[in-house]
Structures are given as structure tokens and as C-alpha cells.
Amino acid sequence: MMISVDNTSPDNGSDQGRPRRRTAATIFIDVVGYSRLMGSDEEGTHQRWMSMRSDVIEPRVASNAGEVIKSTGDGLLLEFRNPVDAIRFALGMQMHLAESSSAGSNPLQLRMSANVGDVIAERDDIYGDGVNIAARLQEFAGPGGVVISGAIHDQVKDHLRYQAADLGFLTLKNIERRIRAFKIAHHDLRAPTISVAHSLKPSVAVLPLQMLGLQAADAYLAQGIVHDIVASLAGIRELFVVSSTSTLGFTGPTVDPGAVCHRLGVRYLVTGTLKRHGELLRMRVELIDVDTRSMLWTNQYEASISQLFDVQETIATSIAYALLPHIHISELQHAERKAPQSMNAYDLVLQGMYRLYRLGHDDMLAARSLFERALDHDPQYAAAYALMAKWYILHIGEGHSTDFKADSREAFRLASRALEFEPSDPMALAIFGHINSFLFGAYDRAIDAFDRAIGGTPNSAIAWSLSASTYCYLGDGPRAVARASYGISLSPLDPYAYFYQSALTNAHYTNETFDDAVHWGTKVMAAAPQFAANLRLLAASLVAAGSLERAREVGAAHMRIDPSFSVEKYCSWYPIKQPDRLALLGERLIEAGLPR
């Protein structure tokens, strides 16, 4: 049952001039491009707006028990006693305008935003936080769009039928806390689409560690660790991270995670304790998904007080990169629960990434389709372009390409496009670098891209790991091993860890530490048996290590995955710089049973 929101004070009417507080649903309506329209036809535009107000908007407001509070020139502020009536009005207006447009008339384009909350009412106006939020949400609506706050969505979603796309928590001008919002559409219209620019990144806050057994004078220890964790997380561009100064007030064991997340506008919380046992400090850290009230990850770290300042940055980095894969999995599961038509660009990229790394033929096709849909939603989404470029890397590397040159050019175009929108994004730079060395043999240009990625984000696992491959092509085994090992250390729990581990197969093969190459190649084969690029290097490493029978077993597994493979065709493009090393790789593959 919907609760009435007419909460006027008991002394209503006793002091007509005194402002009154109440809870109300408010809607802002705005004419899109009004100034431009007035510039080209002032009189005609004004007349069309006045006619729409009197003939369409005001009667619909009245029929939904609402009131026009004031005009803003090119817009209106409306108030409704009941949130359901407010959203019913907005959806009805949206449908009316869509039908008018399809019937051949040319109505003015409107955008609308709605919120429910406390307002302060005077004789002919309302104002306050509830009104301000509704006003600030309007900029996210777009032509014909309706954006509503999470507060009003929660009150009406079980009473009205409509399509909704989650915008996440938005940062609104002059609003202290972040506000969750949804873009909605009438159920008979096209599902709403949104841009990742609207704060769709996973949002995280790190709360102060609870000090157990420490003196108040030791508070700087806990604060220093939290500051470093936040700094490490902030270096991960996929996350929205609340500053550590914004969380300092949330201390003590009685803090309610739900209230904290609502206040800060985040979904994930990092909490923990810091205990002292003599000179030993023991820290336990947890990652909580507040939406599902579940703990996603926990771990414990130890250091002596004398060592803390030396190791706290390392601990903070370890925590940050241990959290990331769990957040990825949580976000993917969240996306998979949505109806396909309600997924936004971020959800589509997550699902595309998941399918991409499964490597099967159907999965690869599905991944490409998901990335393309993400770009339909948001044509400026750098991550979608970068992952599409990576799709081509795997498409070629796994032996699926029928036109190497054309597919290489498309990979380069997509990677370059990603950098147009995010010039310093480490993933985009790393993929751009790998394409240059892997597909074009442009090693210097590749190293420059990797250096830019690592210089801007020193803890980028993908940049370190992919750069190892370039040093493999150049024949620098020690540097390749060092880079691949560091890449794995940065993302030890990644659900796609095999991709980083395969860099170590290649690195150890290049370094001629063949037993280690076999170890990592076997590990990757167990996790991703369809990864043909790894099987080739594993087979060659087994031949070099003297395990010819096992090498032929791996070679046979490879041919079941890629039956059209030939060593000569592969060696015609594989980018090992030194001809003698490339020829030796070919000979070892032939010894492993792969066709010449």
C-alpha cells in the first residue's frame, strides 16, 4: 500500500506566512534546445511551448493529482502528493510525445527528472534538498528521457510497469552525497540507453580500520594504511573510489554499512581491524557488497611496527588488486540478473569480457556482439574499443582469422580509437602496445605505449604482462620473465589469471628455462584447455626439454582446436625478431607433430 506523502505540520493554517516542511514528489520538465529554437523562431517556439503547457501538460498534471508550482521559462516545476502519480504522469507524457512524433507532428522535445524527499513550502514555491536533487538529475535525462532518483524508484517500482536502466550513484552539483538514479522508459517504448560516463563504475569506500589493542596515539598507523589503500584503489581506473578524507568520520563497531553506503553513494565497502601484539601488527581486511549484504573477500596481513612504513604501500597495493577480481565477479553476477534489454554499456562489456576469455567459437562470437552493443549504447566507451581490439588479437592468435592484414588493421584502428577517448588508460595503452608488436613488429612503438601505461599506472597487471610478450619477441628472456612474474603478482586471484600466466610460458621459453615454461604452460592448459597460443608454446617447450611424447600429445590437442594450422603459415607472421629463433620455434612445433 502506498503511503500518502502529505505530511503538513499540525499547525497548518495557523501561520500562513511561515514556511512548512513536507515530503513530496517533484518533477522538473525542460524543453531541450529551447535557446537555440528561440534564436531561430522566437515567436513560434514560445507559442508552441505555451500550447503544449495548456493543452497537454497542465491537464495531465491535474488528472494525476499534481500541481504546477512555477515556470522556469523553458521548463516547469511540478509537485505531486503521491510518487506513483508523479511517475505515471512522466511516463504518460513520454508516451504521448513519442506517439505524436511518430504520427508526423513535430512536438517540442522534453526531458524530465523526478525525486521524492523533504521540501520547504511557501505560498507559491517549494525548495530544499528534495527539489534540488530533482533539478540536478535533469542533466542526465537527454531528449525524451526521464531520470528518477533511487528514492522514488524504490517507492514506485512495484506499482508501475516501466523499463529502467541503473545509472549507478551520480555526483550532482551542490549535493553533498552521491545519488543513485535510474533512467526509465514507458514499457511500450525502446529500452533506455545510458553512457558509462554516468558513474557506472563499481563504487568503493574504505572505512577507517578499527584499532584493537592500540593506543589512541597510534591512530596514525591505521590512517596511513587506509590512505595508502585508497591511493592504490584510485589508481585503478575501472573503479570510483571515495577519498579517504570523506570516510574518516565512520569509525567504531556500530557503523551501519547500509547507512554508510547510502551516505557515500557506493556499493562496496572495505572494512577491517588493526591489532597490536607487542611489536607485531596484524591487519584483517574485508570486502563487503552492501547491495547483497555479502562478504566477497577477506585476508590477513602482518608486519612489525618497525617495518610498517616500509611495507604498508606493498600491503595496500596487494589489498587493492586482490579486491578487483572479486568486484569484477560480483558486478558480472549483478549484470547477469538483469533482463537483456535493460543492460547498459558497462554490463555489456563485463559480459563480453567473460565470454571473450572462455575462448570457444560461440563465446567469441557472443563477445564481439556484446562489445558492439556496448558501443551502440556509448560510442565513446574506450574500454569497449580496447576489448574489441583485444578480440582481434585473440581471433588472429587463435587461428580464426582468414584475412590477417585486414584483421590486423581493424585491431589497430579500434585500439587507436580507444586512446582517442582515454589517452592514458593503461588497458587501452597495453592493448595498443601489444597490437603494435604482435601484429606489426613495431617493437619500439609498443615499448613506448607500455612505458606510458606503467608510468601512469604502475600497478597495471595487463600492462606488465603484455609488455613481457614484446620482450619475448625481441629475445630478452630475463626481462620478459621479470615483467610477466610481476604482472602475475599484481593480479594473483584474477578469474582470467591464465592470460597473465601464459605470458610466463612464453617468457620462460624465450629465456630457455624450459622446465619453468612447461610448468606454466601446463598450468594454463589445465585452466584454459582451448587456448591454442599457449599450447603451441607448451609443445615447443616440451620438445626443448626432451619430453617428445608429451609434446606430441599437446600438439594433437592443439590440432583438435585449430585443425587448419600449419607451421609455415604461422611462422610467416609470428613476430619473433631473430630469424634463427623463429626457425627453431618452427622446427620444434613440427617435432611436436604440428603439420609443416
Side-chain angles (χ1 to χ4, degrees):
M1 179 178 179
M2 184 59 57
I3 300 173
S4 172
V5 295
D6 182 16
N7 295 330
T8 54
S9 59
D11 61 349
N12 183 18
S14 62
D15 185 357
Q16 294 295 320
R18 181 181 178 186
R20 292 174 288 114
R21 290 185 177 273
R22 61 171 177 258
T23 303
T26 51
I27 287 182
F28 270 89
I29 295 180
D30 177 62
V31 180
V32 177
Y34 188 76
S35 297
R36 174 181 52 81
L37 293 170
M38 288 288 283
S40 60
D41 181 9
E42 182 175 293
E43 185 175 345
T45 299
H46 177 72
Q47 186 59 47
R48 289 169 67 196
W49 174 226
M50 292 300 102
S51 297
M52 180 179 281
R53 278 186 55 177
S54 60
D55 299 341
V56 180
I57 296 175
E58 291 174 3
R60 287 175 175 268
V61 172
S63 67
N64 284 283
E67 180 182 357
V68 176
I69 298 298
K70 67 178 179 181
S71 168
T72 59
D74 59 349
L76 296 170
L77 170 60
L78 313 176
E79 179 184 355
F80 296 81
R81 295 293 181 89
N82 192 308
V84 169
D85 291 332
I87 302 306
R88 184 182 288 117
F89 161 81
L91 293 169
M93 274 299 305
Q94 185 187 48
M95 189 66 185
H96 169 80
L97 294 172
E99 289 173 343
S100 299
S101 180
S102 62
S105 60
N106 185 28
L108 295 171
Q109 285 191 308
L110 305 181
R111 56 179 184 169
M112 290 175 275
S113 56
N115 180 45
V116 63
D118 289 340
V119 302
I120 302 170
E122 292 187 332
R123 289 179 183 272
D124 55 358
D125 199 3
I126 58 174
Y127 55 95
D129 200 41
V131 179
N132 293 338
I133 289 170
R136 297 303 183 192
L137 286 173
Q138 197 172 69
E139 66 179 281
F140 297 95
V146 181
V147 169
I148 65 175
S149 67
I152 200 167
H153 173 71
D154 289 342
Q155 291 198 30
V156 306
K157 63 184 179 182
D158 295 329
H159 300 268
L160 293 172
R161 185 180 166 210
Y162 57 85
Q163 303 176 88
D166 191 347
L167 291 173
F169 287 91
L170 306 179
T171 301
L172 306 180
K173 185 178 180 181
N174 297 329
I175 303 297
E176 182 181 352
R177 68 186 188 281
R178 298 178 80 219
I179 302 297
R180 190 167 195 173
F182 295 81
K183 191 171 186 180
I184 66 171
H186 192 282
H187 60 82
D188 289 332
L189 297 177
R190 183 180 176 183
T193 58
I194 54 179
S195 165
V196 290
H198 294 161
S199 302
L200 285 167
K201 296 177 180 179
S203 47
V204 186
V206 183
L207 297 190
L209 300 177
Q210 295 179 41
M211 297 187 300
L212 307 178
L214 275 77
Q215 302 298 317
D218 294 326
Y220 70 94
L221 297 172
Q223 288 184 10
I225 292 171
V226 169
H227 287 316
D228 277 355
I229 294 172
V230 170
S232 296
L233 285 169
I236 303 173
R237 293 174 180 268
E238 314 170 46
L239 300 179
F240 176 92
V241 185
V242 173
S243 70
S244 54
T245 55
S246 297
T247 63
L248 290 178
F250 298 102
T251 58
T254 60
V255 170
D256 175 29
V260 173
C261 284
H262 177 74
R263 183 69 177 167
L264 298 175
V266 298
R267 179 175 175 185
Y268 300 98
L269 280 184
V270 179
T271 65
T273 58
L274 187 64
K275 295 181 181 179
R276 181 171 182 172
H277 300 274
E279 292 300 301
L280 183 68
L281 293 174
R282 181 171 293 146
M283 178 170 47
R284 175 169 288 280
V285 183
E286 299 172 350
L287 173 66
I288 301 170
D289 179 348
V290 177
D291 271 13
T292 61
R293 296 280 176 169
S294 57
M295 183 188 296
L296 301 180
W297 170 85
T298 184
N299 207 351
Q300 187 165 291
Y301 301 86
E302 291 184 351
S304 69
I305 289 180
S306 61
Q307 295 175 321
L308 183 63
F309 293 110
D310 296 328
V311 302
Q312 74 178 33
E313 185 176 348
T314 301
I315 291 173
T317 300
S318 300
I319 292 170
Y321 282 85
L323 298 178
L324 187 59
H326 295 281
I327 291 175
H328 272 159
I329 294 168
S330 176
E331 291 286 312
L332 176 62
Q333 291 170 343
H334 183 67
E336 288 179 331
R337 289 194 292 269
K338 296 182 179 181
Q341 66 270 20
S342 72
M343 287 191 294
N344 55 55
Y346 177 74
D347 295 327
L348 291 163
V349 161
L350 276 179
Q351 297 217 24
M353 193 187 307
Y354 171 70
R355 300 297 290 270
L356 178 68
Y357 285 111
R358 291 178 61 173
L359 295 173
H361 179 264
D362 291 343
D363 286 308
M364 289 286 287
L365 292 178
R368 177 171 178 164
S369 175
L370 287 160
F371 295 142
E372 288 171 344
R373 285 175 59 197
L375 289 171
D376 287 340
H377 278 262
D378 186 354
Q380 297 185 359
Y381 193 2
Y385 284 109
L387 288 166
M388 272 290 286
K390 190 171 186 179
W391 184 92
Y392 275 96
I393 292 172
L394 290 172
H395 180 64
I396 294 169
E398 293 300 286
H400 301 154
S401 175
T402 57
D403 191 334
F404 174 83
K405 289 185 177 179
D407 287 341
S408 297
R409 287 194 299 269
E410 182 61 6
F412 184 86
R413 184 191 73 82
L414 290 163
S416 300
R417 190 77 169 144
L419 291 175
E420 287 179 23
F421 297 114
E422 292 283 354
S424 58
D425 180 77
M427 180 178 73
L429 282 166
I431 290 171
F432 179 79
H434 188 57
I435 285 169
N436 273 282
S437 62
F438 181 56
L439 301 180
F440 295 94
Y443 312 109
D444 290 342
R445 191 161 58 186
I447 290 171
D448 175 68
F450 291 125
D451 288 348
R452 285 162 57 199
I454 292 168
T457 309
N459 297 314
S460 172
I462 189 171
W464 283 103
S465 297
L466 284 181
S467 70
S469 297
T470 294
Y471 287 99
C472 289
Y473 309 145
L474 291 171
D476 189 342
R479 189 171 298 184
V481 169
R483 285 179 169 250
S485 299
Y486 191 59
I488 287 177
S489 73
L490 289 171
S491 194
L493 302 176
D494 197 301
Y496 316 122
Y498 77 83
F499 188 78
Y500 303 117
Q501 293 167 352
S502 70
L504 261 177
T505 310
N506 196 359
H508 280 294
Y509 173 82
T510 303
N511 198 46
E512 298 186 353
T513 43
F514 297 118
D515 288 343
D516 288 325
V518 168
H519 167 78
W520 287 106
T522 302
K523 191 178 182 73
V524 173
M525 184 178 179
Q530 294 193 83
F531 193 11
N534 175 72
L535 294 178
R536 291 191 286 268
L537 289 165
L538 173 57
S541 299
L542 285 162
V543 170
S547 301
L548 189 58
E549 183 177 351
R550 177 78 203 290
R552 288 177 175 167
E553 290 175 359
V554 174
H558 176 277
M559 293 309 298
R560 288 193 293 271
I561 296 167
D562 184 9
S564 64
F565 178 85
S566 79
V567 172
E568 288 184 355
K569 180 181 177 182
Y570 175 67
C571 289
S572 71
W573 66 265
Y574 192 67
I576 289 179
K577 187 176 182 180
Q578 298 83 4
D580 57 333
R581 290 182 56 240
L582 182 59
L584 181 58
L585 173 63
E587 291 170 9
R588 285 168 173 165
L589 292 176
I590 291 169
E591 281 193 70
L594 278 73
R596 185 180 297 274

